Amino acid sequence: MSINLIYLIAGVAMFLAAVLPAVLDRYAVSAAMVLLLLGMGIGLLPLPEGMRLDPVVIRPQVERVTEFTILVALMGVGLAIDRSFDWRSRSAWASWSPTWRLLAIAMPLTIASVALLGWGLGVAPAAALLLGAALAPTDPVLASDVQVEGPRVDGSGHAGEAGDDGADDGEALGEPVDEQDDVRFALTSEAGLNDGLAFPFVTAAVLLASAGSFSSWGLHWLAWDLVGKVVVGVLVGVAVGWGLARIAFRSPRRSLRLAEQGEPLLALAALVMTYGLSQLVGGYGFLSVFACGMTLRAAERNHRYHRSMHEVVQRLERLLTLIILLMLGMAMTKGVLGELDWRGVIIAVALVFVVRPLSGWASLRLRARPADLPGGLGRRETLATAFFGVRGIGSLYYLAFAAGEHAFADERWLWSTVAFTILLSVMVHGTLATPVMRYLERRRERAGAPGPA
């Protein structure tokens, strides 16, 4: 494959990434499916000399690219959620009920089930736990088909310009907006939080492999990795988001009020700054970035600047996703599935069709909130939320991170199993997402339609 052909393929792929979301909107096909299959087709061609797609060999590059892609996606998710959260409000906690249930019940159940299944099939305990932790989170990157579309605003337009009514468009107008689709909200908020909350269990797998029994590291892990780093991560994200929002929206100096200038690159500066600071002080950077995005969104909620920031983040996320899906597809036809065996297939199929749906259903139906209240899910909505736990780029990152911390004997098998699980998830969830979500939207519209006079 010549360099000129690579440019041609890259150009065609970028064009497809730009047009596929709109073209495929009506069909039961996702852009991720097309790009992954395109990558698999490209992988059948000879690679340029020196180009390697072995994840074990290029593990540091895989870790960094997937890490940054997740950070971009998490900032986008934080900016996209319209439902506010006030930790002092009991109703706010209740409206986020599906999120807490998926995080506190479904995710640990998924991790434990996959780990026990792998262990029962002969996988080493540490590798089985790592597989469970890596595959448990709902991916914020590839789950876009079942997530909220973006921030909705009811007021300001171009900052600093007077509208027809003489009001300053830089001010937020209108009533606060809220999510109307609790399925999309639950999956979006879950994806924003569970990437960071899976980290303690990845760390536990590394410690189990390198430091021995739980008794030698368990207390420190419980106090710091499971609790302390979560708290630090959230606090850092909220603090940075609050500070940047004060500057962007309310600084006494006009030159610093970026919202009036409409400069959307603040979102990228915020995610990089937040992640760096959180990692330096020992927090979970993924949680920090999502918390920062949520805090920025909470400032002047109806300002169109949120939409501008979300759009630039979304475009960057789409480009990074394109690169990763093409490379993953190429790697699949270049040997990354070479170590896949019946154990990996069983685990992947069980996770997608049994473990996640049952774990999600159990968590959401336990003392379920009434469906007519924010955060309430009916039976059909519960089924959809439980089923659409898309696996993706986060799993690649966690495996690359763990493999960099400790040399797992089953590393190549782990890569094969994770890659196959992502392929299965993309195909199954990508095929069903459009028809299922449209069906639920039609039901919600009919339920909200006024009856005969």
Side-chain angles (χ1 to χ4, degrees):
M1 187 188 300
S2 68
I3 188 65
N4 296 322
L5 181 57
I6 292 176
Y7 274 116
L8 175 60
I9 292 173
V12 171
M14 289 181 183
F15 174 75
L16 289 175
V19 303
L20 281 178
V23 171
L24 300 176
D25 184 58
R26 296 183 178 182
Y27 304 99
V29 179
S30 69
M33 294 170 62
V34 175
L35 291 172
L36 195 58
L37 291 173
L38 177 62
M40 294 175 71
I42 296 172
L44 297 175
L45 302 174
L47 292 178
E49 185 177 354
M51 183 176 181
R52 303 291 298 274
L53 291 177
D54 185 343
V56 176
V57 175
I58 62 171
R59 182 203 55 76
Q61 291 84 354
V62 172
E63 181 181 350
R64 293 309 167 204
V65 172
T66 53
E67 178 184 42
F68 187 65
T69 303
I70 296 168
L71 291 174
V72 172
L74 290 173
M75 176 58 70
V77 167
L79 291 170
I81 295 177
D82 289 325
R83 181 167 297 172
S84 61
F85 177 73
D86 182 353
W87 65 272
R88 298 163 297 184
S89 169
R90 186 173 181 178
S91 62
W93 283 93
S95 68
W96 280 65
S97 174
T99 309
W100 313 136
R101 293 166 181 271
L102 289 169
L103 294 173
I105 302 175
M107 190 175 75
L109 280 177
T110 301
I111 294 173
S113 299
V114 172
L116 289 173
L117 177 60
W119 188 26
L121 293 174
V123 181
L129 178 57
L130 173 59
L131 189 62
L135 291 176
T138 297
D139 193 69
V141 183
L142 298 187
S144 58
D145 289 336
V146 293
Q147 291 181 354
V148 298
E149 294 182 357
R152 294 179 297 121
V153 294
D154 293 338
S156 59
H158 300 290
E161 299 177 3
D164 295 336
D165 59 357
D168 184 355
D169 282 340
E171 298 177 359
L173 306 173
E175 295 297 323
V177 293
D178 193 6
E179 303 292 352
Q180 301 300 314
D181 190 332
D182 278 297
V183 175
R184 291 185 182 275
F185 164 73
L187 290 168
T188 304
S189 54
E190 179 200 12
L193 287 165
N194 66 5
D195 263 310
L197 294 176
F199 229 120
F201 301 97
V202 175
T203 302
V206 173
L207 290 172
L208 185 62
S210 59
S213 64
F214 181 81
S215 59
S216 61
W217 49 266
L219 288 178
H220 180 271
W221 177 83
L222 287 171
W224 177 238
D225 293 277
L226 190 60
V227 178
K229 298 181 78 170
V230 170
V231 173
V232 171
V234 172
L235 291 178
V236 168
V238 171
V240 174
W242 181 86
L244 292 178
R246 294 283 297 182
I247 294 172
F249 290 100
R250 302 174 186 175
S251 173
R253 299 190 60 176
R254 183 180 178 86
S255 60
L256 294 179
R257 293 199 297 269
L258 297 178
E260 291 185 7
Q261 303 171 30
E263 176 50 74
L265 291 181
L266 174 66
L268 299 182
L271 78 88
V272 175
M273 186 187 310
T274 304
Y275 187 69
L277 178 59
S278 181
Q279 294 294 103
L280 282 175
V281 299
Y284 288 130
F286 287 173
L287 280 177
S288 297
V289 171
F290 176 71
C292 178
M294 285 283 297
T295 306
L296 281 173
R297 180 72 180 92
E300 306 292 344
R301 296 193 65 83
N302 287 317
H303 204 297
R304 289 189 181 177
Y305 186 49
H306 297 297
R307 186 175 295 168
S308 299
M309 288 193 292
H310 181 264
E311 286 175 354
V312 73
V313 169
Q314 189 177 47
R315 285 182 171 86
L316 179 57
E317 177 190 337
R318 191 178 299 172
L319 178 61
L320 292 169
T321 304
L322 157 74
I323 296 171
I324 293 175
L325 288 177
L326 285 178
M327 298 297 288
L328 178 60
M330 292 169 64
M332 286 182 178
T333 47
K334 287 297 182 184
V336 76
L337 296 177
E339 296 297 319
L340 182 67
D341 58 14
W342 60 274
R343 298 176 302 166
V345 172
I346 289 176
I347 291 171
V349 172
L351 173 65
V352 172
F353 292 105
V354 181
V355 173
R356 161 64 192 207
L358 288 181
S359 299
W361 173 266
S363 67
L364 294 170
R365 296 310 298 175
L366 181 65
R367 297 182 63 185
R369 184 170 169 82
D372 58 340
L373 296 177
L377 296 168
R379 289 188 177 273
R380 292 179 178 84
E381 289 76 14
T382 299
L383 280 171
T385 306
F387 181 74
F388 285 111
V390 182
R391 270 57 215 168
I393 292 172
S395 300
L396 298 175
Y397 168 75
Y398 279 127
L399 180 52
F401 170 82
E405 295 293 313
H406 178 79
F408 286 84
D410 297 326
E411 182 179 353
R412 291 193 179 277
W413 177 83
L414 288 169
W415 281 110
S416 294
T417 302
V418 168
F420 177 74
T421 305
I422 294 172
L423 176 63
L424 179 64
S425 176
V426 167
M427 295 304 168
V428 172
H429 295 132
T431 301
L432 295 176
T434 297
V436 170
M437 299 308 290
R438 287 181 180 270
Y439 167 74
L440 293 177
E441 288 166 4
R442 288 195 298 267
R443 286 191 74 254
R444 189 171 64 253
E445 290 171 0
R446 288 197 299 267

